[in-house]
Amino acid sequence: MRTSQYIIATLKETPSDAEVISHQLMLRAGMIRRLASGLYTWLPTGLKVVRKVEAIVREEMDKAGAIEMLMPVVQPADLWIESGRWQEYGPELLRIKDRQNRDFALGPTHEEVITEFVRKEINSYKQLPLNLYQIQTKFRDEVRPRFGVMRSREFTMKDAYSFHLDQASLQETYDVMYQAYCNIFTRLGLDFRPVIADTGSIGGDASHEFHVLADSGEDDIAFSTESDYAANIEKAEAFAPQEKADTPTQELTLTDTPNAKTIAELVEQFNTPIEKTVKTLIVKASAECVADNGAEYVALIVRGDHELNEIKAEKLAFVAEPLEMATDEAIKEVMKASPGSLGPINCPIPVIVDRAAAVASDFSAGANQDGKHYFGINWERDLPLSQVADIRNVVEGDVSPCGKGTLTIKRGIEVGHIFQLGNKYSTAMNAGVLTESGKHQVLEMGCYGIGITRIVAAAIEQNHDKYGIKWPLALAPFTVAIVPMNMHKSHRIPDIAQKIYDELKAAGIEVLFDDRKERPGVMFNDMELMGIPHQIVIGERNLDTDQVEHKDRNSGEKTLLAIDKVVSFVVNKIKNI
RNA sequence: CGGUGUUUAGCGCAGCUUGGUAGCGCACUUCGUUUGGGUCGAAGGGGUCGAAGGUUCGAAUCCUUCAACACCGACCA
């Protein structure tokens, strides 16, 4: 490809709304442009990278025995009503009507469609197990699209769905997919970790996420220092403290705390350790709770230095799912006190206490009277300890749930997610086959997703420097850039450039020939910004000795090469990686 | 959904306080110059100042409403 016949839409300046490095570099390197919030146009260079990711994913999926197909983006509401997700999925599901006023949705995922397909087409146990996948556009009306294509509303995803007669078969395919995913991310040249995960709105049982480690990641991953345990913090269990609460040493006292509205202020003004405080969070109660004791809200208690884990909390029987924090007005009405003075003592609604907070002694908390806190609180002596649960996020240094080592926490970008769905959809939509004994049996399902376009961004997060993107060879939009110095000034330069260009192309290598009439610095900067792994610099300087220069984008290493050795040199470099 | 902020040329921004003919840098076009790391110079093109309404002799600037976009937050108890 010649730059003069291509779109090199590089930018010198960073657009002001791009926050993370991958978003900035994708804009600057001319890979993407924003059309509207969370919607991006892929320019030729960007699309080439997407296609590379797709190709690797496709190869590994095929190798793992999955079969490619393609389903529609637009899906009839009926299927979603049947699975129950027309109600469950919420506003992230973009709903549209056709000219007949029939309801449709833009597919955020395809469990319903694939299940509908399989229940019609697959009738016999002999056709199982089956693993079907597609690489296709998804639409999710995200609450807050951000970070460019990292969290966009429209994106490309590889989604696979497997169907089985029994759990053992599902487990087998799940393991194969787990391995295929490891192979994919390894081939993509990414530093990644599989982690134990929550199943989220898709539903189901076992689940692993694949995370690319990067500080800009939106998820916290907890790792054991001593084992290969790794879990999304949403899911990581906070181990129950082994010790019991210490014997009370303080009297319960009610103190005026007019200026202490937050834990931080309480700790500072009253010189109390933060571990000896608790915070009280008021959330909407579940229907079960309302039926049980009439309370519309419940109070969740975690230690002052801990954070509530919403995923854990919303799974509690008394807590409404999804989790909903009470408004200030509701808190005043129910608690007769304002946020900042809430606590478990004299609390008119059910109280659920985190395991760590449940072994605190002589601690302080709001008194449910504005501007007052209790100090020296002890469970059982001063108030009953009714419900205890794991409702906090793990923190660095916690004992690992696997029993070995302690936890450290890193940021990750979720690029893949595999689930064992069990029979959630197959039951709801009545997908089954006849078994060997002629009985109808509901199918077991697995599903396996990879965010194709997100991988492009994640790869940049992990591979860049101050000059731009440093593509892993497998993802580079072009393998080689030919950069001729002052081509218009002599015949020698363009002749040699053309010759090398033709030879590289003949060798099946993707070459970008920068034939623009630009100064050398402009070309160098553009090629480096775009992250092309190999540059061939052709200049008068070395031509008298029939040499050109090779520059490695990754190492910065420069090598003088005889003109007729260029192709073999590059070919050799490529195969060695 | 809440909070904060932004919106002026393709991009990055100034101008707004104190109303008076819309600017700068980059990019773009042309010419010259330069040529191994984003040359230098000259001349040009490009704007309903987010939209609508209002105040005023006069609005990018003041007022009202709306919209788009961004950031923060769903931890505040």
Side-chain angles (χ1 to χ4, degrees):
Chain A
M1 185 58 68
R2 290 166 178 272
T3 50
S4 61
Q5 289 156 30
Y6 199 63
I7 297 179
I8 302 292
T10 54
L11 304 174
K12 265 193 200 176
E13 286 175 291
T14 304
S16 58
D17 56 355
E19 219 193 332
V20 294
I21 191 73
S22 60
H23 188 195
Q24 294 173 359
L25 288 175
M26 288 177 82
L27 289 166
R28 287 194 52 212
M31 294 176 64
I32 55 168
R33 290 291 184 261
R34 196 185 67 91
L35 178 65
S37 179
L39 301 176
Y40 288 86
T41 295
W42 288 88
L43 278 61
T45 312
L47 183 62
K48 279 179 83 76
V49 180
V50 172
R51 295 288 184 241
K52 300 244 166 165
V53 177
E54 288 178 3
I56 290 175
V57 169
R58 184 173 281 120
E59 269 180 47
E60 293 297 326
M61 290 301 292
D62 291 347
K63 207 184 285 180
I67 313 165
E68 186 169 7
M69 57 190 289
L70 187 59
M71 293 174 267
V73 173
V74 177
Q75 310 180 3
D78 294 355
L79 288 179
W80 285 76
I81 291 166
E82 202 178 340
S83 73
R85 289 207 290 186
W86 187 255
Q87 300 295 330
E88 269 175 35
Y89 211 90
E92 222 172 270
L93 182 67
L94 184 66
R95 296 150 215 252
I96 53 176
K97 283 182 190 292
D98 71 0
R99 63 203 299 166
Q100 317 284 3
N101 210 33
R102 285 181 294 229
D103 286 315
F104 287 84
L106 293 190
T109 176
H110 281 69
E111 282 81 6
E112 282 80 2
V113 179
I114 194 80
T115 306
E116 149 75 9
F117 169 77
V118 165
R119 71 176 165 187
K120 282 190 172 158
E121 300 297 327
I122 305 298
N123 304 308
S124 162
Y125 74 97
K126 291 178 194 165
Q127 295 167 289
L128 298 178
L130 190 61
N131 191 1
L132 300 168
Y133 80 98
Q134 63 174 347
I135 294 174
Q136 191 241 23
T137 299
K138 298 282 184 275
F139 193 95
R140 293 182 187 174
D141 201 357
E142 291 281 351
V143 189
R144 191 177 156 202
R146 65 190 129 169
F147 304 153
V149 297
M150 199 97 89
R151 182 167 295 282
S152 53
R153 294 196 289 178
E154 187 176 308
F155 57 99
T156 306
M157 180 169 164
K158 187 284 299 175
D159 48 326
Y161 307 89
S162 69
F163 297 86
H164 312 269
L165 209 52
D166 53 35
Q167 163 65 27
S169 169
L170 169 58
Q171 184 67 46
E172 204 170 297
T173 298
Y174 186 85
D175 292 342
V176 168
M177 281 294 106
Y178 185 100
Q179 188 55 51
Y181 274 38
C182 289
N183 296 346
I184 287 167
F185 297 121
T186 302
R187 276 186 67 184
L188 290 168
L190 299 171
D191 180 15
F192 73 98
R193 292 295 137 72
V195 308
I196 301 165
D198 185 70
T199 49
S201 65
I202 307 270
D205 309 323
S207 169
H208 284 86
E209 287 169 357
F210 290 76
H211 282 262
V212 166
L213 300 182
D215 291 338
S216 58
E218 293 189 89
D219 290 290
D220 281 312
I221 311 298
F223 297 89
S224 165
T225 51
E226 301 284 320
S227 77
D228 54 8
Y229 175 85
N232 192 310
I233 200 161
E234 291 175 346
K235 185 79 174 178
E237 183 185 1
F239 242 26
Q242 298 301 304
E243 68 277 15
K244 291 211 152 63
D246 290 342
T247 318
T249 61
Q250 297 176 8
E251 291 301 308
L252 182 68
T253 50
L254 183 61
T255 307
D256 283 326
T257 56
N259 300 315
K261 295 234 181 286
T262 66
I263 294 289
E265 288 165 355
L266 193 69
V267 166
E268 196 194 322
Q269 292 167 26
F270 295 89
N271 196 29
T272 182
I274 195 165
E275 303 80 22
K276 294 286 185 189
T277 64
V278 301
K279 43 189 176 188
T280 307
L281 290 77
I282 311 299
V283 300
K284 277 261 175 69
S286 65
E288 182 181 337
C289 178
V290 176
D292 195 56
N293 57 34
E296 305 258 349
Y297 292 90
V298 292
L300 304 177
I301 309 282
V302 297
R303 229 165 63 182
D305 57 330
H306 286 155
E307 287 185 352
L308 179 71
N309 180 312
E310 299 190 6
I311 304 281
K312 293 175 182 175
E314 70 185 16
K315 287 186 176 153
L316 298 175
F318 271 20
V319 176
E321 186 175 2
L323 189 81
E324 195 181 334
M325 291 284 173
T327 61
D328 285 6
E329 294 74 41
I331 289 174
K332 275 176 200 154
E333 195 185 325
V334 173
M335 303 296 288
K336 312 293 183 220
S338 302
S341 301
L342 304 180
I345 295 186
N346 299 327
C347 181
I349 55 179
V351 175
I352 300 172
V353 184
D354 181 66
R355 290 166 174 176
V359 297
S361 62
D362 297 334
F363 63 91
S364 56
N368 296 327
Q369 300 175 41
D370 281 354
K372 290 181 194 290
H373 278 72
Y374 279 111
F375 285 81
I377 308 173
N378 286 279
W379 297 111
E380 303 300 358
R381 185 191 73 179
D382 304 320
L383 74 171
L385 186 56
S386 51
Q387 288 195 55
V388 177
D390 173 22
I391 55 171
R392 72 174 172 98
N393 280 336
V394 294
V395 293
E396 291 246 1
D398 276 353
V399 176
S400 172
C402 69
K404 278 185 270 175
T406 56
L407 295 176
T408 56
I409 293 172
K410 285 186 187 170
R411 303 288 281 176
I413 302 166
E414 183 191 344
V415 290
H417 201 161
I418 58 178
F419 303 83
Q420 293 186 21
L421 292 173
N423 55 26
K424 171 171 173 164
Y425 296 95
S426 42
T427 300
M429 298 180 62
N430 191 29
V433 294
L434 288 185
T435 63
E436 204 169 357
S437 54
K439 280 189 187 154
H440 181 266
Q441 175 156 343
V442 167
L443 297 173
E444 294 289 317
M445 267 179 83
C447 91
Y448 319 91
I450 288 183
I452 302 283
T453 41
R454 182 180 282 183
I455 283 175
V456 176
I460 295 172
E461 289 290 329
Q462 275 192 350
N463 299 284
H464 66 270
D465 61 14
K466 64 177 174 176
Y467 302 109
I469 303 167
K470 293 163 74 169
W471 285 117
L473 195 56
L475 296 185
F478 295 94
T479 307
V480 180
I482 294 176
V483 187
M485 306 285 92
N486 305 305
M487 204 161 60
H488 59 286
K489 288 196 103 179
S490 78
H491 285 290
R492 291 211 294 176
I493 308 274
D495 288 350
I496 302 293
Q498 183 69 46
K499 178 174 180 289
I500 294 176
Y501 177 56
D502 291 339
E503 286 176 7
L504 285 168
K505 275 205 301 186
I509 293 168
E510 290 179 282
V511 199
L512 185 62
F513 180 1
D514 199 348
D515 61 344
R516 293 176 297 175
K517 192 186 169 191
E518 286 287 356
R519 289 177 57 84
V522 174
M523 295 181 173
F524 288 140
N525 281 312
D526 276 351
M527 295 306 121
E528 269 153 36
L529 178 58
M530 290 166 67
I532 299 174
H534 301 283
Q535 283 178 28
I536 303 296
V537 182
I538 303 169
E540 288 287 345
R541 194 195 271 178
N542 301 311
L543 234 44
D544 289 337
T545 52
D546 286 328
Q547 286 180 307
V548 295
E549 182 183 288
H550 168 271
K551 184 174 175 189
D552 188 306
R553 173 69 178 92
N554 235 324
S555 64
E557 193 183 336
K558 295 176 179 175
T559 316
L560 280 177
L561 298 173
I563 290 170
D564 56 5
K565 292 284 193 296
V566 170
V567 174
S568 58
F569 181 86
V570 171
V571 167
N572 207 35
K573 280 264 181 190
I574 295 171
K575 86 169 178 231
N576 281 351
I577 293 178

